Amino acid sequence: MASAPTPPTNPYRLLGGRIPYVEGPLKVTGRAEYTDDIQRPGLLVGRLLRSPWPHARLRSIDVAAARALPGVYAVLTGDRYPIPFGVLPITHDETAIAVDASRYIGDIIAAVAARDEPTAEAALALIRVDAEPLAEHADPRMGTSKVTDPIHAKGLAGTNIQKEVVQHFGDVDAAFARARFTARVRGTFAGVTHAFTEPMATIAEATPDGRLTVWSATQVPHYLHRTLSEVLGIPMHRIRVIKPEVGGGFGGKSDPLPHEIVCAALAIETGRPVKILFDREEVFYTNHGRHPTQNEVRVAADAEGNLLAYDIEALIDGGAWSSFGTVTTYYNGVLAMGPYRVPNFRYKGRRVYTTKPPSGAMRAHGGTNIRYSIEVALDRIAEESGIDPFDLRERNALAPNSTTVNRFEITSTSFLECLSAVRKASDWDRKFRQLPYGRGIGLGCGFYISGSNSPIHFTPKMPQSTVHLKVDMDGGIAVHSMQADIGQGSNTLLAAIVAEVLGVDLERVHVQRVDSDVSPVDLGSYSSRVTFMMGNAARSAAEQLKGELITAAAGLLGTPPEEVMVGHECFETRGPPPASVPFLEVLHRAMEAKGALTASGSYQTRPKGGTFKGAKAGTAPAYSFAAYVAEVSVDVETGEYRVRKVWAGFDCGRPLNRLAVEGQIEGSIHMGLGQVMGESMNYRGSRLFNPSLLEYKIPMPQQMPEVEILLVGKDDPEGPFGAKEAGEGPLIATLPAVGNALYDAVGVRFTDLPITPDKVLRGIDRRVAERRAWKGA
Amino acid sequence: MHLDPFELHRPRSVEEAVRLASELSGQCDYLAGGTDLLPNYKMHLNLRPHLIALEDIPELRGHSFERLGAMERLADLEGDPAFRAAYPGIQDAVGEVATPLVRASGTVGGNLLVETRCFFFNQSFFWRASLGFCLKADGDRCHVVPQKERCYATFSGDLAPSLLVLDADVEVAGPSGRRRLPLSGLYDAAGDGIRRTRLAPGELLVAVHLPPSARGQRAGYKKLRVRPSFDFPELGVAVAGRWDGTRVESLRIAVGGVETYPRRFDALTDPLAGAPLSEEALGRVASEVMRGVRPVHNTFLLPDYRRRVVEVYVRRAVREAREGSAA
Amino acid sequence: MPSRDRLRFRLNGQPVDVFCPDPRILLDLLREDLRLTGTKRGCDLGTCGCCTVLLDGRPALSCLTLARLVESREVTTIEGVTPPQGLSPVQRAFVEHGATQCGFCTPGFVVTATALLRANPHPSREEIERAIAGNLCRCTGYTKIIEAIAAVGGR
Ligand SMILES: Cc1cc2nc3c(=O)[nH]c(=O)nc-3n(C[C@H](O)[C@H](O)[C@H](O)COP(=O)(O)OP(=O)(O)OC[C@H]3O[C@@H](n4cnc5c(N)ncnc54)[C@H](O)[C@@H]3O)c2cc1C
Ligand code: SF4
Ligand code: FES
Ligand code: FES
């Protein structure tokens, strides 16, 4: 769908326009190389034996028969590499292969490398595991008190609680006591998963020079690099991590994953290259998707609709491991801190281990489920107070350059502009509560971090992103960085920023494949950090080169450097008389002194946030804002419904590549729609019943609403060229916009996601049984 | 995902195929488009050491107004506008099967004989082994309705109901020759739910025959599923009828996707002939159909809900057929 | 080698003659034996469309096709719909309209779209939606894919 045209004020040549992906031609021809496309001589097949038990003590594992099978090169069990790891340094509770116990159906308990798949599978079938079943823990509610057979020894005092967060700012009880309007919403959210189209794949090869090379479908090559080193006991400089093209991640490829370590271990054991490629069912078991969650939100407002307080509780089903869970537990509270002023705030969040596939980070991590409940609660307050939902939100919007009660610094925000743009475009004032029964319109809003201020890192002082540039006499500009393009278009943006600063054509810039041997560290694709941080680092590197080139150009033009400007593929002076020298000539002059030009640019956030425990969670150098309106139509006899249109008002600062920003918003809406309409990890007990793309209900093209995108952001002071994130924030508002639209359509509050047609019909039935008419029906 | 070893046979005639099957006595499966069989084989469901591909048997191909070859691709039916005009109900159903890519290979015969489905059955070997196998494959008890006699896997083909309401016959070949039976006789209501048809082992479905009366009926098919593509029916309602003005001449309703076999409700619809169909009468029939079906909890949507929708879809399908798609 | 295990067919316009046991799946043959890796494996069960190829000009799921059954037939993969230089109109439209993000679903969509446009050069939006409903994309929300195909079809 068309977005508003590029504002005439765009001062940039490339940025702010629609820039097709630089690697697009490779992708549309099948020439882009993904991990499974890579061939190595003598490649072995690695396969994993997975636990058929939800929870079991592993007494002994007999691999003799498997080892003896012809064609088998190695069989590994957990005792060989028992060093625990995990994405967060404070919660290392995973091992590459289960050591003493298996903790979910699908947990890895042994691994085989063999000459081909049939042999590997035959070998797996020969492994005998003597296991003693332990108590299954499927329900997180039961895990909050003392249990038999806790899943991890680390759980809070004999329970399965992995993390508990309690925060209180202001005085919530006092605020509720003086509130005129209150609303309470209890939300239940099934787990959802990334379901990227490319299954996980890793290839590893240990070579006689004592080095290990790992190709893997990962979003964060750097964390994989570190974890391989820790668990395998090999210094990082002897490990080389390469990220080929990645077929989608959405958070699911951001943890260092056990199979990546196992694959490397098998390569070391066998001395041969080994590949592990998941089948689709294994992708589902590996999960790390959005947590199944129950939350309860209470909101208080005064007579004018000013928000007084939030009181929030969340019970988060973590699955077998910690993963990003500590962050998740904080985010489920603190990501309620915008886009409104909330003077009093209380939160209690608990993440509980269960014997299910681990949950972790998924697009709009931690901000999605809580946002749904809040926006529904606001809809109730609006209804009760008779204040229009838009007016209510406008009245409470966080102002630019303000600070939240938990000390988030809000710098740029165009939230009000988002609201007014979608209100107008959707014709809200003529539709809200005025569409016929069965048709409805709803508003949902959101905000999200544009990168994390204090990420997982060696030391907080190291830059979060570094970009290297090299230009040689051919005039091509090589760009190195460990940022990980997983489809969001970061390679393209990297190239475009460099080209913009240097005034050259995009085709001069070659973004190199991520390779830890040559790419400087960038923390990779998570927390919506890439445009902001890599963008700033790239800009800084390019500015350095520009400085050198301008000096050379000044010499050639015979003018002082201050008067030299970057032109298109040249450097110019306005004169008089005006003159210009081609880029290549300037470059060659600049190279006379030192050969190829190189530059290194980096970005690090400024310290932010309070000093209380957990104060850093959710701090970011900037935040994106969203206001979405959805229009739905419901078949009131069957409960089936369609989302007809979504108006997406979004503030990502200055959109640097409109094609990519629109793509992120459309894709986010699609993914959000999936979580509202039908996607769910269907567990009975801890058994996943739908580990397939047939029974995991990703929406089809016919279900996609028309999308109208309204990009209304103003330049962010710190973002590169004024930009903020657009990769995750655009998902969040989709869910409550649909939920509130369904209410407008049929007068039923749906707080159990996904909202499948059977639930809609039950809601309508109940309303009819209670003889509560809605919009004349 | 590789397939376990099997031997592939490619007979060139119906007789050769049937002979092969009888020689291999039960140790074989017919392979049509493979879009149902191969996923099941990849999941190690009831593997056989021999596959008899029907690809090379010219007699099984093609379609006319009277006859649908068993090996006719769904996409080929879909692409024929004249066929749509004659049989709107069949066309509705064909267009709802799976996805365009599946329909490009999937056949009429394969669709009528599609394996019944269940959350406990359509799972990998690993998954099923981890829970304990069930009656329908490798095990001895049912996980849906705990007992050891009967399987409740759901019949999930889209075509059968729309052919049932047109009184289609099927032509079947076996070692002792050919026979014709009504399509309704193909599905075994009294069976154990595991064997999905009354075909004898090795019998081959040759064609579907449509009687002259089938043409030009007002017919339609409504399918309940979560997504408008990919998903098997959680319910399929087919209707076909003739009206003389407002008076019903004949009306048939068939329902699939809710029980182990698709079925027709003649006892409810026969009495409607000869009179105009009032909304109450229609409502009554719809509720009776609803009351008559017993879905179990082995698909994505809950059984109670699927039953509720039976009533709505029957009403709508009849109304739409009456009003709309007259041939 | 016994001739029974040889498979002859045309692949992207050229005859091929390969070793192929009965249970070999076309997708495996293409990717692993013939090393044509443009065709992607997303699920192996007919549920994603990443493995779409043309069989005698019509789209088919290579993960649900027994390789032996393409004997004497014409298989066209993404490599085969790509011109020797540059891009096909469908491919160019996919790039220009931003219809590819992670790109993993893209070869399948390009093959499906190519077949659609050959059969129906000016498809309506609804026809496009129906035609691509067997290809899953998790990145784009389909919006730009539909736009790209519509642009080639001139609607
Ligand atoms: C992702 C996906 C979604 C699907 N969704 C649907 C759906 O929505 N609706 C639906 O109806 N189906 C669906 N299917 C199932 C299947 O694709 C179709 O039913 C298709 O029509 C089956 O035809 P086929 O030729 O591929 O059958 P095959 O797989 O070749 O055969 C199916 C069964 O019938 C037997 N058989 C086939 N032909 C004959 C014959 N002539 N004589 C005797 N036995 C024979 C085979 O031995 C086998 O047991 C789906 C499949 C997939 C992979
Ligand atoms: S209904 Fe029972 S016996 Fe039949 S497939 Fe399901 S679990 Fe197995
Ligand atoms: S790989 Fe063939 S459909 Fe998914
Ligand atoms: S572009 Fe990633 S799945 Fe389609």
Side-chain angles (χ1 to χ4, degrees), chain C residues 66-137:
Chain C
L66 276 191
R68 294 213 66 89
L69 296 184
V70 305
E71 176 97 50
S72 309
R73 299 177 70 182
E74 169 88 42
V75 174
T76 312
T77 64
I78 181 71
E79 290 86 356
V81 303
T82 306
Q85 280 87 36
L87 304 176
S88 74
V90 174
Q91 290 169 328
R92 204 170 321 116
F94 267 62
V95 175
E96 282 166 8
H97 288 264
T100 172
Q101 288 188 23
C102 81
F104 200 76
C105 70
T106 308
F109 272 99
V110 167
V111 169
T112 300
T114 303
L116 167 69
L117 289 161
R118 277 183 198 160
N120 177 3
H122 308 290
S124 68
R125 191 191 162 87
E126 213 169 275
E127 287 168 332
I128 296 171
E129 282 181 358
R130 265 183 80 80
I132 63 170
N135 295 81
L136 203 76
C137 177

Side-chain angles (χ1 to χ4, degrees), chain A residues 731-775:
Chain A
L731 185 148
I732 300 173
T734 316
L735 288 75
V738 172
N740 288 337
L742 284 171
Y743 182 76
D744 187 42
V746 295
V748 180
R749 292 282 174 208
F750 298 103
T751 55
D752 180 5
L753 267 60
I755 310 171
T756 44
D758 52 318
K759 292 179 190 167
V760 175
L761 193 60
R762 217 179 311 136
I764 293 173
D765 280 352
R766 206 174 308 126
R767 199 170 170 117
V768 169
E770 290 165 8
R771 294 178 189 284
R772 292 188 298 136
W774 181 253
K775 297 204 297 193

